[in-house]
Amino acid sequence: MSNRLPTLAVVGATGAVGSVMRDILTERPNVWGEIRLIASPRSAGKVLSVRGEDVTVQALAPEVFDGVDVAMFDVPDEVSKEWAPVAAARGAVAVDNSGAFRLDPDVPLVVPEVNADQVGNRPRGIIANPNCTTLSMIVAIGALHRAYGVKDLVVSSYQAASGSGQEGIDTLRDQTATVAAERNLGNEAGDVRAAVDELGPFPAPLAYNVVPWAGSLKDDGYSSEELKVRNESRKILGLPDLRVAATCVRVPVITTHALTVHATFDSEVPAEDARKLLANAEGVEVLDDPAKGEFPTPADVVGTDPTWVGRIRQSIDDPTSLDLFLCGDNLRKGAALNTAQIAEVVAREFTQD
Amino acid sequence: MSNRLPTLAVVGATGAVGSVMRDILTERPNVWGEIRLIASPRSAGKVLSVRGEDVTVQALAPEVFDGVDVAMFDVPDEVSKEWAPVAAARGAVAVDNSGAFRLDPDVPLVVPEVNADQVGNRPRGIIANPNCTTLSMIVAIGALHRAYGVKDLVVSSYQAASGSGQEGIDTLRDQTATVAAERNLGNEAGDVRAAVDELGPFPAPLAYNVVPWAGSLKDDGYSSEELKVRNESRKILGLPDLRVAATCVRVPVITTHALTVHATFDSEVPAEDARKLLANAEGVEVLDDPAKGEFPTPADVVGTDPTWVGRIRQSIDDPTSLDLFLCGDNLRKGAALNTAQIAEVVAREFTQD
């Protein structure tokens, strides 16, 4: 083994997730030698800060990966599809946060708290990072699965606008200003729709509304987001037959996804046992005392790293089921943080004896 | 049988639901003779409009029920508990929209599209109207149950602020103005909480947030709202062993509750069959063509009467389950409209041959 600090490339360093990634690399214990920031030619030459150092952004090109040990990709699917293999061919381990490789059988889909052991199993030199909605629950579900064996998940999401990037954030802020300006909006059919003239990336107004759609239309009326929750949960947990029913709904929250999960296990799960187990699980925080008004909400969770779990109840009519409410920052654990954590697992290969 | 138009009393005529009730009585085909408006002594003497007539509000007292055939109650539980029996003792049929009598075995809990046959079964002279969250789904679930036999419901709510009355509406409007005024709120933990100084009836900020709590704390960590969804669904459908798991979450919407429902039946339910059945069901509208961006949202549904259903999918991993997204105006079908419909069923007893 070599014993040097590995070189990291951050591809997509100027986007919404890339920006959070630079914060996370600055905050976390440093395991990197050189850090290169890569973006589209349009952003090349910009100087951005990471770890307190000024770094000049380079344009995406094959040569930028020469000498790179780990390359993180926070870019659209089609950019990852083309460029992650280029990075891998030049010797880098590509850690990709797009949907391009998540279900590729030769690409592990990794959540370090759940399946860090899969990191080395990467014949294509690519490791995939899950979708943000899956990531908002899977650390907690993985901990429960190890103890009780999960067999069925019913998931409903309360997804934040920033899941649709900066355009999503700006759209919700603009619409919120519009509905706030007119005191009586929201009482009559169509009045919010009439007042809001820019839908941005959403198929209906989001301010004073909830929209049961995220992603693109797939078979049988499912959205791509719903299929991701199902298929990625199965792969991460190593349960190809897990039953998953998901409905994804956008809500007027800037950042932090929330989810309700009805999870059914192989055996009975008393709520108090689940609460203790989750309180001791890596990457999970329990906030569950409704008598004191304690449960997680996006406004409290945004900007933090863990998966927050509250409203832990054993189902009244099925003692093998739990009903949970979970929150996770979709830009941190849901994207940049998990990518950074995967990259850190790879970095250990370079520095361990 | 007599053949006269019955006399109606509206108790709670000045409240949020009472106000919608006066609109509904004005809009619907008239089946009433005299309509009396009743409220607390504080509101007595006010002149309010119903059916285009000016009516002077009377203070709640035993004598106001003399000669009344049907008395609707849209008042808090404790007021109903005291006064519905008084109205019944004076010969009126009390139709009560509080939680006071819903689970009383001698009081039918009625949704006319589902169990109108229960109206006559009222030994106490009282008929109960269900909770708004239950009402936002039960007409559609009832129609599916008649065809396929429902055995399991997993429900997650997206509940509007007006479920907490005018104070809930005012609180959300004020908080929305606050977050709209400061462009960057919503990115950092606690900043919405710091900006919002009035929580009103909610246990956490509701603007730019979702709050997994509605009602009061009951056994085993359940909220009263979640138990209502379970217990009232069982009673209305006549299925005392129905398995129901509900998680109730407040969202920043003014009016119209939305719900996701994962419903499991005795037999397989193809989505297309369910769609056709629901499209033909009384009181249900189907809006389900995601390719055209068609699904119900609260902003489109508010102010309308039906239960709207979209996102109708057969669960991928269980052909006996459907995943649905439903919306219903919590002040209309969820409260005033259903009460009016029950009262109209009773009114027919006075006018039919």
Side-chain angles (χ1 to χ4, degrees), chain B residues 305-317:
Chain B
D305 288 344
T307 298
W308 293 76
V309 190
R311 304 299 325 283
I312 301 166
R313 291 150 293 152
Q314 188 173 31
S315 293
I316 303 172
D317 299 316

Side-chain angles (χ1 to χ4, degrees), chain A residues 156-158 173-174 183 185 189 193 209 212 221-222 226 230 234 244 247 260 297 299-300 302 311 313 317, chain B residues 156-158 173 183 185 189 193 209 212 221 226 230 234 244 247 260 297-300 302 311 313-314 317:
Chain A
S156 295
S157 74
Y158 301 68
R173 289 199 196 286
D174 291 345
R183 186 79 189 172
L185 279 182
R193 211 175 254 278
N209 206 16
Y222 280 88
E226 290 157 353
R230 173 177 177 267
R234 289 174 150 206
V244 183
T247 301
T260 61
T297 80
D300 299 306
V302 60
R311 305 297 327 282
R313 291 151 294 154
D317 299 315
Chain B
S156 296
S157 75
Y158 301 68
R173 289 199 195 286
R183 186 78 189 172
L185 279 183
R193 210 174 254 280
N209 206 16
E226 290 157 353
R230 172 177 178 269
R234 289 175 151 208
V244 183
T247 301
T260 61
T297 80
D300 299 305
V302 59
R311 304 299 325 283
R313 291 150 293 152
Q314 188 173 31
D317 299 316

Side-chain angles (χ1 to χ4, degrees), chain B residues 144-152 239 242 264-267 320:
Chain B
L144 291 167
H145 169 59
R146 282 192 295 279
Y148 302 107
V150 67
K151 57 183 191 182
D152 203 320
L239 295 172
L242 181 67
T264 304
F265 300 89
D266 291 330
S267 57
T320 70

Side-chain angles (χ1 to χ4, degrees), chain A residues 4-10 21 24-26 28-36 50-51 53 68-72 93 95 339-348 350-351:
Chain A
R4 59 178 181 82
L5 291 180
T7 296
L8 174 70
V10 179
M21 180 63 84
I24 284 174
L25 290 170
T26 304
R28 290 179 72 83
N30 184 48
V31 301
W32 305 106
E34 184 190 354
I35 294 183
R36 297 181 193 172
V50 61
R51 294 186 302 187
E53 303 160 18
V68 168
D69 298 298
V70 178
M72 297 170 171
V93 177
V95 182
T339 304
Q341 289 175 302
I342 295 171
E344 288 168 9
V345 176
V346 178
R348 273 178 232 139
F350 291 86
T351 51

